[in-house]
Amino acid sequence: MSKKYTAAIVGCGSIGNAHMDGYNLNDNVEVVAVADPLLVAREEYMEKYSIPQGYATVEEMLEKAEPDIVSVCTWHPLHPAPTIAAAQAGVKAVICEKPMATSLGAANSMVDACEASGTKLIISHQRRFTPGWEKARELIQEKAIGDPVWVNCKIVQGLLNCGTHAIDGSRFVLGDPQALWVMGAVERDTDRYERDTPIEDSCMALVQMEGNLQLFIQSDLCTEGAAAGGFLIRGTDGMLDVSEAGVKLFNADSNGWKQVPLRVEAEEIRAIGGGTNAAQVRELIAWIEGGPEHRGTGKKARATVEIMMALYESARQHRVIHLPLQEEGHPLELMVEEGKLPVEKPGRYDIRGFLKRDAIDEKAYAKLRSQGMAHHQIMRTLNENKQEG
Ligand SMILES: NC(=O)c1ccc[n+]([C@@H]2O[C@H](COP(=O)([O-])OP(=O)(O)OC[C@H]3O[C@@H](n4cnc5c(N)ncnc54)[C@H](O)[C@@H]3O)[C@@H](O)[C@H]2O)c1
């Protein structure tokens, strides 16, 4: 019996596997097509997951496969175009990877295109489905620590890469509060990139949320205790130490720090491979079928993009940025172009450069793959060999 919904994956790389797992754990979705300009990438997926159709371009895939749901699993600068193309082709839903976009203008255009076509847009901040975050959100709603006043997010490997998870996650746990202003600082004296996107060497920001709540973000300043999935929340009557896998509570009744039991259902989600991706798809299908709005909508992720871009814009303008943010470009890129962040240690490098597939040796890739090597290991090996050669 054919399944109720068809899906297609754009970008047959690392995270494409997690999307595939997410669909395959849902009985009512079948992945029927993939799109990737690299023949070896799409052939590998078609064979591994028994997918009948593979295309070199998103446009051809949309026209011929006519999927109901499209996963956008390409690098960040390539999130808006396939999302907008899918919306214009009239798909029911798009699951786009994080960070949603590298500018507020791009994020807006994704939300607008999907609204115009009635396409349900979600961004894969899939950690919203982890048991620790779900429990922490419940505890905040139950006022287990009174009113939250301070959140500390400490991350490494770039604001847009890991920071987006931490900011989105703390917003989720706190009930998606509105940000009012952002004061940020940025350092960039090396020519640092992440998946073809210029990033900072380090940055930090204070974000004022509605009410008395403040969010403090520090990125690539220290590694001790840094985790995209973890943050400390202080409230008027206690504290929560939140990670994806658990929550510790400190309040008048806890007798010191107390590990809070998680809901069984949430633990089951964690136990299944690709479980958060499956849960994200399940909630999307419920939304398509008239159920409640998905917890990870494009609009919610747009708010996270706005905070990150406001951090950069604050450093660019040397002032507090009151939201809504006016600058629609990527303020960090603008600062680089404007000479405001001179590179003192020349030599462009990309912290995910080992994944770059533009000029890889397809035969060598296929050979290593047939030996059972994982995608990211193959890419690291081939790109290291290229640099040495
Ligand atoms: N949600 C998460 O936890 C999580 C984890 C890892 C990565 N990601 C995100 O996923 C995205 C992809 O990262 P990755 O590590 O999977 O990258 P990757 O390099 O492993 O895969 C990207 C794939 O896209 C393909 N591609 C390039 N141009 C294309 C085009 N025009 N059309 C279709 N395919 C194209 C490449 O050939 C490659 O196969 C990034 O934005 C990253 O931030 C999210």
Side-chain angles (χ1 to χ4, degrees), residues 40-263:
V40 68
R42 51 179 198 273
E43 277 185 351
E44 182 204 345
Y45 266 52
M46 289 167 72
E47 192 188 318
K48 182 173 171 189
Y49 298 105
S50 304
I51 297 165
Q53 304 175 56
Y55 301 96
T57 67
V58 178
E59 291 71 21
E60 193 184 355
M61 185 273 287
L62 289 168
E63 193 191 323
K64 299 209 171 126
E66 296 184 27
D68 296 315
I69 306 171
V70 170
S71 272
V72 175
C73 300
T74 39
W75 284 12
H76 330 331
L78 278 172
H79 290 172
T83 300
I84 293 168
Q88 287 171 348
V91 306
K92 288 188 171 62
V94 172
I95 307 177
C96 176
E97 262 309 327
K98 53 54 56 173
M100 178 180 190
T102 60
S103 71
L104 187 61
N108 286 340
S109 63
M110 293 161 78
V111 169
D112 291 349
C114 289
E115 274 188 355
S117 61
T119 300
K120 307 252 185 289
L121 173 62
I122 67 163
I123 304 303
S124 190
H125 284 124
Q126 80 284 12
R127 297 174 195 210
R128 283 183 174 236
F129 291 88
T130 56
W133 289 15
E134 286 189 328
K135 177 48 85 179
R137 186 176 159 100
E138 275 173 34
L139 290 167
I140 293 289
Q141 281 166 358
E142 290 163 8
K143 300 254 177 221
I145 59 165
D147 294 321
V149 290
W150 177 261
V151 184
N152 199 359
C153 296
K154 198 195 274 186
I155 55 134
V156 289
Q157 300 199 350
L159 182 69
L160 295 181
N161 184 29
C162 293
T164 187
H165 274 308
I167 296 167
D168 176 79
S170 48
R171 291 190 62 246
F172 171 65
V173 167
L174 296 161
D176 289 299
Q178 178 74 39
L180 302 179
W181 55 254
V182 181
M183 177 75 172
V186 171
E187 178 189 53
R188 188 179 191 271
D189 62 16
T190 74
D191 207 6
R192 192 179 195 221
Y193 284 72
E194 187 263 319
R195 294 185 175 92
D196 270 351
T197 307
I199 55 164
E200 66 290 335
D201 293 330
S202 64
C203 67
M204 60 191 270
L206 185 64
V207 184
Q208 178 67 51
M209 301 288 192
E210 56 194 336
N212 283 327
L213 176 60
Q214 291 191 324
L215 170 62
F216 180 64
I217 304 160
Q218 50 172 307
S219 181
D220 288 301
L221 282 162
C222 52
T223 51
E224 177 63 34
F231 26 83
L232 189 73
I233 306 175
R234 185 163 60 76
T236 47
D237 299 321
M239 289 185 283
L240 286 182
D241 189 350
V242 185
S243 76
E244 293 162 65
V247 188
K248 283 190 285 186
L249 169 68
F250 190 109
N251 66 12
D253 303 323
S254 68
N255 195 18
W257 281 106
K258 179 182 130 193
Q259 193 78 41
V260 182
L262 303 174
R263 285 190 297 133

